[in-house]
Amino acid sequence: MLDERKKKVLAAIIQDYIAHAEPVGSRTIVKRYNLDVSPATIRNEMADLEEMGLIEQPYTSAGRIPSEQGYRYYVDCLMQRKNLSEDEVKFINTCFARKMQELKDVIQKASNVLSELTSYTAVVVEPKMEKSTFKFLKLLPLATNQALLVVVTNTRVIQHRTLNIPEDITHQDLEKVSQVLNSTLQGLTLEEVSRMSLNEIYDEVILQRYMWDKIVELVKDSLFSEEYEERIYIDGTINMLDQPEFKDIDKVKSILKALQEGKILKQVLLERPRPGLSVSIGQENRYEGINECSLITATYEVNGNVVGTLGIIGPIRMDYSRGVSAVDYVTKMLSGFIKKYIEE
Amino acid sequence: MLDERKKKVLAAIIQDYIAHAEPVGSRTIVKRYNLDVSPATIRNEMADLEEMGLIEQPYTSAGRIPSEQGYRYYVDCLMQRKNLSEDEVKFINTCFARKMQELKDVIQKASNVLSELTSYTAVVVEPKMEKSTFKFLKLLPLATNQALLVVVTNTRVIQHRTLNIPEDITHQDLEKVSQVLNSTLQGLTLEEVSRMSLNEIYDEVILQRYMWDKIVELVKDSLFSEEYEERIYIDGTINMLDQPEFKDIDKVKSILKALQEGKILKQVLLERPRPGLSVSIGQENRYEGINECSLITATYEVNGNVVGTLGIIGPIRMDYSRGVSAVDYVTKMLSGFIKKYIEE
DNA sequence: GTTAGCACTCAACCTTAAAGAGTGCTAACA
DNA sequence: TGTTAGCACTCTTTAAGGTTGAGTGCTAAC
């Protein structure tokens, strides 16, 4: 629907604005992007693009800046991925080369790498817990009426201190409960565990009914409490302050607030439906604070199942091309790496 | 060394500047702090105070602002504590009234309350680990060559995944090692444990020598790795952005950077020697970023032993009087509360 | 369809002027 | 000797006016 030259002009405006954060004039386009026409011609094209809503003028006689629609068109139709440079690839590889003990270290590293690489803010949501499979749990006695519940899934260790255990439960009782639960739950996903009525696997040999119910309830509560929720890792928050569009302290504040509020951010990331890479621009993000930003996110997978989301947050004028490449690469890296840390 | 009136004038200047963040003139002082002399007299006093280095003029014909020395004098000699209002006390109490499972929840709450109350940034360093006493550990088999080490001290749970366990160690072996270590280390402080040579408690009945050495080494490494370090809790970081002196994005950036860098902050807090409450002003803090701020910190105690530090960070023009009261109150609150969570 | 030319617009920048806050100093006063 | 009124002076802040320059839109010619 746009002819070749209009596309070229639009791409030039967007690229230039991304690079310099200043309105782009007709002369600049001709010079910098060597189109073989005069500025006047470009001006005509720009008038058309503006009518279509793809670019806009901050004031009557300034150059043009891309509108959110313009960015959208650019991302969908014009942009070509910029491959990562050799150095960048090398950088990523060395970062991941260090030996990491646990899944969470890998995830943390991913967000770290992503923010370093792009100079934007990086976010990684850890793998969905409900898809995790139960490996085992252990109830360790702490005091007469306290026990420490340790749960190990294939993705991570959840640990929770439980109070109010009836005083007359012995160490042996706890041990037995652990054993029964382990043999029953072994290999189930947490989703399945949550749907299960643990009370039913009561075995009168072990304990009195009321004790069993009590403990099982506590275990279940702990399993699906906050500790159970997917954690979110954020890196490079202060990179936001480098963006000229956020030199205004009030804007920065509302953004930082949104970033700090892990819950909102998590919701934003988890709401995105499509598997694979996705870009959302400005107002497309409905939450306060984040609607002045753009997000590039991708889902990472294990064995074909989407398990988590990661991405970068930057100004609407962000370098989508580079960003997409970076997110894409790190996602693949993470997907590949993560297998080692998730035992079946 | 300062006569009464000079003290009054200095106090007036500081209080007014704290409240309004603008240079204070002689007329303002007379009017707002009803001294029964004329502005001219005040001007003479101010000239003296300036000569002494307690106040300064941003430019020739502006009012005066306190110098860092001035604040110091104020904090040491002039300031009187402003008692917390009933509402504030009630607020703190309700915050702490909620049932909290673990020590770390109490600590987190303390930093939360402190930042809410003062509108500054709050920091709490968790109790010193080396003073913690060892309760028990458990080695749980994860895979043929992996075990999960869970350590419980009187202050918290440390959990660490250990790799590279020799493959020929059985579950029973792990259980036995746990038992031996538990009975040996029971009740020792971590400091004592760290000085101890665990290899010596080798018991040939249990395991082959090389296996024992290997495991014991891993346990010790885990015990004194990063997981072992005192964690630091920060709250209200973005409150910094509300301060007019930090409306400049570059200043904010260096401060946020310092705050983000937990290690630096921890060092700053742990360096403060004196037990009890202490205030450090501007340049007295040597670290980049923090030297444009003031700190009010206090140590909290358990049974007369200093175990941790907490405090608030704000602009040099911070409300020391209110801040000191708030820190003091919350410290006492925390000291009192914490006993419940530290079992002997 | 393209381009040169030109009048026009508007932010950005500088200069200048006026206003206002506050000082330091002097001389008078108690 | 300490206090005060008065006044000239300084320096920021704010507003107003003028200039510059980038960039546009339109028209007419190619």
Side-chain angles (χ1 to χ4, degrees):
Chain A
M1 59 191 191
L2 288 187
D3 64 48
E4 265 329 293
R5 196 169 60 193
K6 280 200 174 51
K7 285 183 185 172
K8 266 191 187 164
V9 172
L10 179 57
I13 291 174
I14 293 182
Q15 280 161 26
D16 202 80
Y17 188 66
I18 286 174
H20 302 100
E22 259 156 37
V24 191
S26 51
R27 262 182 69 86
T28 314
I29 294 179
V30 175
K31 270 195 299 184
R32 270 211 268 258
Y33 299 85
N34 47 322
L35 303 207
D36 261 349
V37 287
S38 78
T41 311
I42 300 295
R43 282 204 288 280
N44 290 331
E45 298 288 33
M46 293 203 294
D48 292 348
L49 288 171
E50 182 161 10
E51 212 171 340
M52 289 183 242
L54 296 171
I55 57 179
E56 44 199 31
Q57 250 179 326
Y59 51 88
T60 321
S61 68
R64 303 304 209 291
I65 62 175
S67 68
E68 294 193 6
Q69 274 181 66
Y71 284 115
R72 172 50 62 202
Y73 185 85
Y74 173 74
V75 167
D76 290 342
C77 308
L78 299 182
M79 178 180 83
Q80 21 202 347
R81 293 201 187 181
K82 206 181 285 171
N83 276 331
L84 296 182
S85 75
E86 261 184 52
D87 282 352
E88 290 169 328
V89 171
K90 202 182 281 174
F91 169 73
I92 297 177
N93 289 337
T94 29
C95 281
F96 277 106
R98 297 183 98 208
K99 220 174 189 180
M100 288 171 281
Q101 288 266 30
E102 291 189 56
L103 179 60
K104 74 168 185 195
D105 300 325
V106 183
I107 291 187
Q108 199 145 37
K109 185 53 86 182
S111 89
N112 190 238
V113 166
L114 212 42
S115 76
E116 290 270 327
L117 196 65
T118 61
S119 300
Y120 297 122
T121 303
V123 188
V124 183
V125 183
E126 94 180 342
K128 274 191 212 141
M129 290 299 283
E130 70 246 36
K131 299 287 185 200
S132 303
T133 57
F134 180 92
K135 287 187 74 178
F136 70 85
L137 62 76
K138 192 95 183 179
L139 282 160
L140 300 171
L142 281 179
T144 48
N145 62 345
Q146 283 191 328
L148 177 71
L149 171 66
V150 178
V151 182
V152 179
T153 71
N154 67 334
T155 58
R156 77 164 208 235
V157 179
I158 309 161
Q159 141 249 317
H160 207 282
R161 173 180 263 176
T162 316
L163 287 176
N164 294 342
I165 284 195
E167 293 215 1
D168 39 1
I169 288 186
T170 65
H171 298 190
Q172 286 75 24
D173 291 338
L174 289 178
E175 185 58 36
K176 278 187 210 150
V177 173
S178 302
Q179 277 172 22
V180 173
L181 286 176
N182 278 334
S183 63
T184 318
L185 302 179
Q186 178 75 34
L188 297 181
T189 64
L190 290 192
E191 201 174 16
E192 288 164 335
V193 173
S194 76
R195 276 204 303 269
M196 205 162 177
S197 167
L198 297 183
N199 304 70
E200 285 173 13
I201 49 178
Y202 168 64
D203 179 343
E204 64 271 9
V205 182
I206 299 177
L207 270 181
Q208 284 182 288
R209 181 82 211 193
Y210 86 97
M211 283 194 188
W212 175 263
D213 284 350
K214 180 87 189 166
I215 289 197
V216 151
E217 183 199 338
L218 284 170
V219 168
K220 206 159 177 180
D221 278 1
S222 307
L223 251 173
F224 300 104
S225 73
E226 258 183 43
E227 304 255 335
Y228 148 87
E229 291 214 345
E230 298 83 16
R231 284 179 289 226
I232 188 167
Y233 296 86
I234 305 182
D235 229 293
T237 319
I238 37 177
N239 286 347
M240 280 291 175
L241 304 185
D242 291 327
Q243 301 301 334
E245 35 268 273
F246 303 143
K247 69 180 192 309
D248 175 34
I249 211 95
D250 286 326
K251 251 181 211 165
V252 157
K253 213 171 127 187
S254 74
I255 293 173
L256 290 193
K257 220 176 208 163
L259 289 182
Q260 212 107 109
E261 198 66 55
K263 286 204 178 153
I264 291 176
L265 198 52
K266 210 167 95 181
Q267 194 157 0
V268 171
L269 290 206
L270 293 183
E271 265 174 9
R272 358 200 81 226
R274 290 171 291 186
L277 207 140
S278 116
V279 176
S280 66
I281 297 166
Q283 303 282 351
E284 295 172 10
N285 303 300
R286 294 194 323 280
Y287 288 89
E288 164 103 39
I290 303 192
N291 55 17
E292 309 213 40
C293 300
S294 282
L295 269 76
I296 300 177
T297 61
T299 50
Y300 60 91
E301 313 188 345
V302 177
N303 301 327
N305 292 315
V306 169
V307 292
T309 307
L310 87 176
I312 54 179
I313 306 178
I316 298 179
R317 179 194 61 79
M318 88 191 284
D319 188 339
Y320 294 94
S321 172
R322 239 177 77 83
V324 165
S325 302
V327 169
D328 192 48
Y329 192 90
V330 174
T331 306
K332 297 220 166 94
M333 202 81 187
L334 184 59
S335 287
F337 247 89
I338 215 167
K339 275 191 205 129
K340 297 188 194 166
Y341 294 87
I342 299 186
E343 313 93 22
E344 291 312 314
Chain B
M1 60 186 189
L2 287 188
D3 64 48
E4 266 327 294
R5 196 171 60 195
K6 281 200 174 52
K7 283 184 186 171
K8 266 192 188 164
V9 172
L10 179 57
I13 291 174
I14 293 183
Q15 280 159 28
D16 203 79
Y17 188 66
I18 285 174
H20 302 100
E22 258 155 37
V24 191
S26 52
R27 262 182 70 85
T28 314
I29 294 179
V30 175
K31 271 195 299 183
R32 271 212 265 259
Y33 300 85
N34 47 323
L35 303 206
D36 261 348
V37 288
S38 78
T41 311
I42 301 296
R43 282 205 287 282
N44 289 332
E45 299 289 33
M46 293 205 294
D48 291 348
L49 288 171
E50 181 161 10
E51 210 170 342
M52 288 183 243
L54 296 171
I55 57 178
E56 45 199 31
Q57 253 178 324
Y59 51 89
T60 321
S61 68
R64 302 304 211 290
I65 62 176
S67 69
E68 295 193 5
Q69 273 180 69
Y71 284 116
R72 171 52 60 203
Y73 185 85
Y74 173 75
V75 168
D76 290 343
C77 309
L78 300 181
M79 179 180 84
Q80 17 203 349
R81 291 201 188 181
K82 205 181 287 172
N83 276 330
L84 296 182
S85 75
E86 262 186 49
D87 282 352
E88 290 169 328
V89 171
K90 202 182 282 174
F91 169 72
I92 298 178
N93 289 336
T94 31
C95 281
F96 277 106
R98 298 183 97 207
K99 221 175 186 180
M100 287 171 280
Q101 289 265 30
E102 290 189 55
L103 179 61
K104 73 167 185 194
D105 300 325
V106 183
I107 291 187
Q108 198 144 35
K109 184 53 85 181
S111 89
N112 189 237
V113 166
L114 213 42
S115 76
E116 291 271 326
L117 196 65
T118 60
S119 300
Y120 297 123
T121 303
V123 189
V124 184
V125 184
E126 95 180 340
K128 272 190 214 141
M129 291 299 282
E130 70 247 35
K131 298 286 183 200
S132 303
T133 56
F134 179 93
K135 287 188 72 179
F136 71 84
L137 63 75
K138 191 95 184 178
L139 282 160
L140 300 171
L142 280 178
T144 46
N145 61 345
Q146 283 192 327
L148 177 70
L149 171 66
V150 178
V151 182
V152 179
T153 70
N154 67 335
T155 58
R156 77 165 208 235
V157 179
I158 308 161
Q159 141 249 313
H160 207 281
R161 175 180 262 175
T162 316
L163 286 176
N164 294 341
I165 285 196
E167 295 215 0
D168 38 0
I169 289 186
T170 66
H171 297 189
Q172 286 75 24
D173 292 337
L174 289 178
E175 186 58 36
K176 279 186 211 151
V177 172
S178 303
Q179 278 171 22
V180 173
L181 287 176
N182 278 333
S183 63
T184 319
L185 303 179
Q186 177 76 33
L188 297 181
T189 64
L190 290 193
E191 201 175 15
E192 288 164 335
V193 173
S194 78
R195 277 204 302 269
M196 205 162 177
S197 167
L198 298 182
N199 303 70
E200 284 173 12
I201 50 179
Y202 168 63
D203 179 343
E204 64 271 8
V205 182
I206 299 176
L207 271 182
Q208 284 182 287
R209 181 83 213 193
Y210 86 97
M211 283 195 190
W212 176 263
D213 285 349
K214 179 87 189 166
I215 289 197
V216 151
E217 183 198 338
L218 285 170
V219 168
K220 206 159 176 179
D221 279 0
S222 305
L223 251 173
F224 302 102
S225 72
E226 257 183 44
E227 306 255 334
Y228 149 86
E229 291 214 346
E230 299 84 17
R231 283 180 288 226
I232 186 166
Y233 296 85
I234 306 181
D235 229 294
T237 319
I238 37 177
N239 286 347
M240 281 291 176
L241 304 185
D242 290 327
Q243 302 300 335
E245 35 268 273
F246 301 144
K247 67 180 193 308
D248 175 34
I249 211 94
D250 286 328
K251 252 182 208 162
V252 157
K253 213 171 128 186
S254 74
I255 293 173
L256 291 193
K257 219 176 207 163
L259 289 182
Q260 213 107 109
E261 197 67 54
K263 285 205 178 152
I264 291 176
L265 197 51
K266 209 166 94 184
Q267 194 158 1
V268 171
L269 291 206
L270 294 183
E271 264 174 10
R272 357 198 81 225
R274 291 170 292 186
L277 205 141
S278 115
V279 177
S280 66
I281 297 166
Q283 302 283 349
E284 294 172 12
N285 303 301
R286 294 196 322 281
Y287 288 89
E288 164 102 38
I290 303 192
N291 54 17
E292 309 213 41
C293 299
S294 282
L295 268 78
I296 301 176
T297 61
T299 50
Y300 59 92
E301 312 187 345
V302 178
N303 302 326
N305 291 315
V306 169
V307 292
T309 308
L310 88 177
I312 54 179
I313 306 177
I316 299 178
R317 180 193 60 80
M318 87 191 285
D319 188 341
Y320 294 95
S321 173
R322 240 179 75 84
V324 165
S325 302
V327 168
D328 192 48
Y329 192 91
V330 174
T331 305
K332 295 214 167 98
M333 200 84 188
L334 184 59
S335 286
F337 247 89
I338 215 166
K339 274 191 206 127
K340 296 189 194 165
Y341 295 86
I342 299 186
E343 313 93 22
E344 291 311 310

